[in-house]
Amino acid sequence: MDLNDERFWAFVRDQFPLSRDRAYFNTGGLGASPYPVIEAVKATMDELEQICEVGRTEQLWAGIKGDAGTLLGCDAGELAFVRNTTEGINIVAYGLPWKEGDEVILTTHEHVGNALPWVALAQSQGIVLRLFEASTASAEENLDRIRKLTGKRTRLISIPHVVTTTGLLLPVREVSAFARSRGIWSFIDGAQTAGMMPFNLHEIGCDAYATSGHKWLLGPKETGLLYVRKDMIPTITPRFVGGHSGTVDWPKGTMTLVSTAERYEYGTVSTPLRVGLGAAIRFIQRIGIETVWARDRALADHLAGELRKIPGVRVLSPENPSLRSAMTTFEHERIPQLKLQEYLNTLNLRTRNVTEGGLAALRISTHIYNTFEEVQRVVDGVRSAQS
Ligand SMILES: Cc1ncc(COP(=O)(O)O)c(C=O)c1O
């Protein structure tokens, strides 16, 4: 397929009910679902409501997780369905065996979803948070900053794969290898990666990884996946358990958890949403995750290049192509970001305000439903903004 064939991308765009009046650039917040996903959710709901059944079968779960595992590079049994990345992070945070004084390394630019669970643990269990500011210049520098923060009490490194503020890609493979060499756990917040870029969890080598179905994967809202490496499953104890986590043995009152990551699932859940997530994964796979990544990046690179030419604009996302993702963040030295965002809103351009890490910037996510024409509208909009 020719990546530059705009007819193909116009065809892809036609698969989405997403309004054409407003150019949508907040996939990092929430992804728009295509018709096949919406139809899968509706059809499953229609079918199940006729018979009033939950519709969960082992075969169905295994099929969806199998497809997810193929995309993410892990075994189906290492995946649990969760509601969102945040739930996955909480499962890991509350499942690891902590001792007071254990240290956790984070960046200063965490999304609240990878900040609050650790802050809460610091308050309730006395763990200590050690923060480093991620460099947008060099992967080696980031590894170095993590190494320098590591000491005898370091128990976990919990970092984003793609930093929510600047779209910076962190060297998660090297960090996981370093953590392992020191006997430290590694957890990766992958909210911004699945469906945006190709990666392989077994190759990354982290202990656990959480991602969202409702961002770049374009799945139904309130879907996510938690990966726990097979040999880490016994170490991360599920705090919430129930139907599907395992079995209970009466009258002894003991429990046997299932051996897979399904132990982190419990109770009745929405089958239509999970079927929709499966449809989303297949939709992305039909285009090809490598193709998606190349397209998303081409749009982002073009945008960053054009924004850099505008006087007063500073692009905060990395310049180094190997550190960039499909999120481009910028600030305007004369126009406060909320004012600029409001102005861009009047031009029907949906951006995301970035305040994490003390930034005052705007973030543009570029995904497969965006076009170069829309990107140009952002560039023109920023250029025409008045202070
Ligand atoms: C890096 C990061 N982590 C976690 C989250 C939270 O994701 P969710 O709302 O799916 O829990 C986000 C959402 O934007 C994010 O960017």
Side-chain angles (χ1 to χ4, degrees):
M1 198 206 68
D2 177 6
L3 194 63
N4 299 317
D5 184 351
E6 290 301 320
R7 283 170 313 175
F8 173 74
W9 294 110
F11 171 75
V12 170
R13 181 64 182 82
D14 285 344
Q15 309 307 306
F16 293 83
L18 182 65
S19 163
R20 285 168 195 270
D21 299 339
R22 188 177 71 146
Y24 183 76
F25 291 109
N26 189 29
T27 304
L30 201 63
S33 294
Y35 289 111
V37 170
I38 298 165
E39 292 308 326
V41 175
K42 282 185 185 167
T44 310
M45 192 161 181
D46 281 346
E47 184 191 322
L48 291 173
E49 287 305 320
Q50 282 180 34
I51 50 174
C52 195
E53 297 290 346
V54 172
R56 175 177 185 158
T57 66
E58 285 200 9
Q59 203 185 357
L60 183 62
W61 253 228
I64 302 167
K65 287 184 183 175
D67 287 344
T70 303
L71 179 70
L72 306 178
C74 66
D75 301 338
E78 295 172 307
L79 291 171
F81 288 126
V82 288
R83 294 165 56 202
N84 44 48
T85 297
T86 306
E87 187 178 30
I89 296 171
N90 274 280
I91 289 171
V92 173
Y94 286 93
L96 286 168
W98 299 105
K99 290 197 199 78
E100 197 176 330
D102 282 348
E103 293 180 5
V104 174
I105 295 178
L106 307 166
T107 74
T108 53
H109 282 212
E110 297 304 335
H111 182 275
V112 69
N114 192 39
L116 268 188
W118 307 112
V119 171
L121 264 193
Q123 289 185 2
S124 65
Q125 304 202 26
I127 65 161
V128 176
L129 307 183
R130 308 287 310 271
L131 308 185
F132 72 100
E133 189 175 341
S135 158
T136 49
S138 142
E140 186 51 40
E141 176 61 32
N142 284 320
L143 200 52
D144 232 45
R145 290 180 188 182
I146 290 172
R147 278 199 203 102
K148 286 194 181 116
L149 273 189
T150 305
K152 279 210 239 21
R153 295 306 310 267
T154 310
R155 287 300 273 150
L156 172 76
I157 300 171
S158 172
I159 56 167
H161 194 167
V162 163
V163 180
T164 205
T165 50
T166 58
L168 165 72
L169 257 169
L170 286 175
V172 288
R173 188 175 170 159
E174 291 76 4
V175 170
S176 301
F178 166 71
R180 187 179 281 228
S181 74
R182 296 288 187 93
I184 296 168
W185 299 311
S186 54
F187 169 74
I188 310 296
D189 169 359
Q192 297 295 348
T193 50
M196 181 210 276
M197 65 177 67
F199 58 93
N200 183 297
L201 289 170
H202 284 167
E203 276 174 28
I204 290 173
C206 56
D207 291 321
Y209 191 107
T211 191
S212 303
H214 44 230
K215 295 182 188 286
W216 302 85
L217 268 177
L218 312 175
K221 284 61 196 173
E222 204 176 340
T223 55
L225 290 158
L226 171 67
Y227 159 81
V228 179
R229 212 186 52 241
K230 199 172 175 188
D231 56 308
M232 272 302 282
I233 292 175
T235 306
I236 300 178
T237 306
R239 284 286 162 245
F240 293 99
V241 285
H244 308 290
S245 305
T247 51
V248 60
D249 184 4
W250 296 117
K252 280 193 286 182
T254 54
M255 70 173 175
T256 307
L257 295 172
V258 294
S259 61
T260 64
E262 201 138 305
R263 63 173 56 185
Y264 305 110
E265 297 175 31
Y266 52 89
T268 305
V269 295
S270 164
T271 298
L273 292 189
R274 280 139 188 90
V275 169
L277 177 62
I281 291 167
R282 288 193 300 280
F283 182 84
I284 289 283
Q285 291 283 53
R286 217 169 299 139
I287 298 171
I289 187 66
E290 300 277 354
T291 305
V292 169
W293 176 225
R295 172 69 174 181
D296 288 3
R297 271 294 305 275
L299 292 164
D301 289 351
H302 180 70
L303 173 66
E306 292 301 304
L307 286 175
R308 281 199 180 91
K309 294 179 193 162
I310 302 175
V313 169
R314 200 159 77 92
V315 175
L316 305 177
S317 299
E319 272 193 60
N320 181 338
S322 69
L323 304 182
R324 289 179 47 69
S325 69
M327 296 198 296
T328 306
T329 301
F330 66 99
E331 59 185 8
H332 199 298
E333 66 185 30
R334 291 186 307 280
I335 312 176
Q337 97 276 19
L338 284 178
K339 188 175 174 195
L340 183 56
Q341 185 180 42
E342 219 171 282
Y343 174 64
L344 294 176
N345 267 341
T346 66
L347 303 177
N348 276 330
L349 301 166
R350 170 65 158 102
T351 61
R352 198 267 205 188
N353 172 29
V354 180
T355 54
E356 292 91 341
L359 299 193
L362 293 183
R363 187 184 75 189
I364 307 282
S365 300
T366 40
H367 205 15
I368 49 177
Y369 33 68
N370 296 120
T371 62
F372 282 98
E373 183 269 328
E374 287 179 339
V375 165
Q376 192 55 45
R377 280 171 57 196
V378 175
V379 175
D380 294 342
V382 175
R383 205 185 285 278
S384 66
Q386 306 287 326
S387 52

